[in-house]
Amino acid sequence: MIASLGDIVFEVNDDHVRTFSGMTYSTGARYATHNRIGGKPLLEFAGQDIETLSMTIKLSAFHGLNPRREMRKINDTLRDGIPLRLVIGKTQFGKYRWVITKATNKLEHIDNKGNILSITVTLSLSSYFKR
């Protein structure tokens, strides 16, 4: 296992290849600006901003996967709003769980019978803080 996002396992073996690439991670802080008459504004730290992450996943029948079923599983997870643990190697990535906020599905190859042979999925995730 290379990594996992909830029950989506990224791995390479004799049967199939499911990996991600181009992962970007962003974190930030929020600041309030207080205007002052005759002086420069003051910044006040207001807290952490939501962490975001994006990655691209290639789903290919040529790599032993059923692209349509894999895409459906990802889209169902997004629609259900399920917070997911992201593990890379053996370590949890991020302090909190993640929710999929957007999945962009690019259908790359379709055969002459209408079967989807490969899909490139770009996922956008945000950190999920429990109340």
Side-chain angles (χ1 to χ4, degrees), residues 19-82:
T19 60
F20 63 89
S21 63
M23 184 173 134
T24 59
Y25 168 73
S26 179
T27 186
R30 292 177 291 114
Y31 285 87
T33 302
H34 301 282
N35 292 320
R36 300 186 316 169
I37 297 173
K40 290 187 176 188
L42 293 175
L43 291 179
E44 178 184 4
F45 178 70
Q48 257 185 272
D49 206 353
I50 293 175
E51 297 169 314
T52 60
L53 187 139
S54 68
M55 65 174 66
T56 301
I57 305 169
K58 181 77 169 185
L59 306 172
S60 175
F62 305 112
H63 294 142
L65 300 174
N66 181 325
R68 184 185 298 267
R69 184 177 19 205
E70 299 273 334
M71 179 182 69
R72 188 177 307 121
K73 181 178 176 181
I74 291 168
N75 291 340
D76 288 346
T77 302
L78 179 150
R79 288 183 195 106
D80 292 341
I82 300 169

Side-chain angles (χ1 to χ4, degrees), residues 16 38-39 64 69 78 83 85 94 97-98 101 107 116 122 129:
H16 63 271
R69 184 177 19 205
L78 179 150
R85 190 176 312 274
R97 292 186 183 208
W98 299 87
T101 57
L107 283 62
I116 300 171
T122 303
F129 300 95

